[in-house]
Amino acid sequence: MTTPLVKDRTYRSPMALVGGVLLLAIIGWLGIDALIRGHGRTPWLALAMMILLVPLVIAFTLRPAVFAGEDRLRIRNPFRMITLPWGEIAALRSGFSNEVVAGSGAKYQLWAIPVSLRGRKRAARRTARSEADAQRGRTAAAGPQSAGVGGGFRAARSTDGAAGPVRAEGDQIMDELRQLLEDRAGAESARGEVTVRWAYEVAAPAVAGAVLLVILLAVG
């Protein structure tokens, strides 16, 4: 059996997973309580809301994921699964959102790899501190203490800490994907067609819940 050149990687948002579980717990708690203790139309309204909200919460929090394999990139977004062979990807872009651009010009957002402006600012501050520490270490090493043990130790430690700029987690992941794209785009096995499959198993229950809710509200 041939060993894969690239180990499959899965990327998901930990914060989205935690938030999704908490939201589902709250919806389940309130909904089941309304079903058991509610009177009149309340249980039916609670049921309709649960049928509507649970698929949506799952779609936007638990479902999104990015799977990077040897030959293709698979993107599982809230309502679609997009499969792109590496050879059909034109670019991976980062701005206010992370997205992949196919050779045809079509763009697909990476829901599982959100852009964190706060994370970028925090990484920039850490980089600035590391560079400042390194500069202080170089200054100390060039001074009278350069022949001593203490100054030399501080300089070496600061230089190690400033080995490179600190990157936000999402930007690090995009760098990994760009490296995979560069390594695998020319491979013969990384050719093929871009496929998009709609997640009807998620959309259908949400639509059913919305229809039921509208009917209940219309009937009064």
Side-chain angles (χ1 to χ4, degrees):
M1 183 175 63
T2 305
T3 303
L5 298 176
V6 177
K7 184 179 179 180
D8 290 352
R9 308 177 189 181
T10 301
Y11 302 99
R12 308 184 76 171
S13 171
M15 294 303 297
L17 295 176
V18 172
V21 171
L22 291 176
L23 284 175
L24 289 176
I26 293 172
I27 293 172
W29 173 42
L30 297 177
I32 294 174
D33 183 72
L35 287 174
I36 296 175
R37 302 184 181 183
H39 302 283
R41 292 191 310 149
T42 301
W44 288 103
L45 289 172
L47 179 62
M49 289 296 294
M50 291 178 68
I51 296 175
L52 170 63
L53 294 178
V54 168
L56 292 179
V57 171
I58 292 175
F60 286 97
T61 60
L62 305 184
R63 176 178 166 81
V66 172
F67 307 96
E70 181 179 0
D71 296 326
R72 58 189 49 84
L73 180 70
R74 291 188 299 131
I75 306 168
R76 192 170 68 191
N77 282 344
F79 299 107
R80 294 190 298 178
M81 171 69 86
I82 305 104
T83 302
L84 302 101
W86 290 113
E88 300 300 320
I89 297 177
L92 287 157
R93 296 177 180 173
S94 297
F96 291 104
S97 65
N98 292 314
E99 62 183 17
V100 57
V101 182
S104 63
K107 300 177 183 178
Y108 305 100
Q109 188 173 353
L110 303 177
W111 281 80
I113 310 175
V115 170
S116 174
L117 297 180
R118 180 181 298 178
R120 286 179 176 176
K121 292 179 180 178
R122 185 165 56 245
R125 288 195 298 267
R126 291 178 59 189
T127 299
R129 285 198 299 267
S130 297
E131 291 176 350
D133 291 342
Q135 182 61 38
R136 284 195 295 268
R138 287 191 293 268
T139 301
Q145 292 182 347
S146 57
V149 177
F153 175 76
R154 284 195 297 270
R157 182 173 58 183
S158 300
T159 303
D160 291 341
V166 180
R167 301 273 285 166
E169 183 179 4
D171 293 334
Q172 292 179 23
I173 294 174
M174 292 300 291
D175 289 342
E176 292 179 10
L177 294 179
R178 291 189 185 98
Q179 186 61 51
L180 280 174
L181 174 61
E182 182 179 345
D183 294 341
R184 300 298 300 161
E188 187 64 29
S189 58
R191 302 287 179 181
E193 295 183 357
V194 177
T195 61
V196 179
R197 185 183 71 83
W198 288 91
Y200 296 106
E201 67 276 10
V202 176
V207 171
V211 172
L212 178 59
L213 183 61
V214 170
I215 292 174
L216 290 172
L217 295 175
V219 170

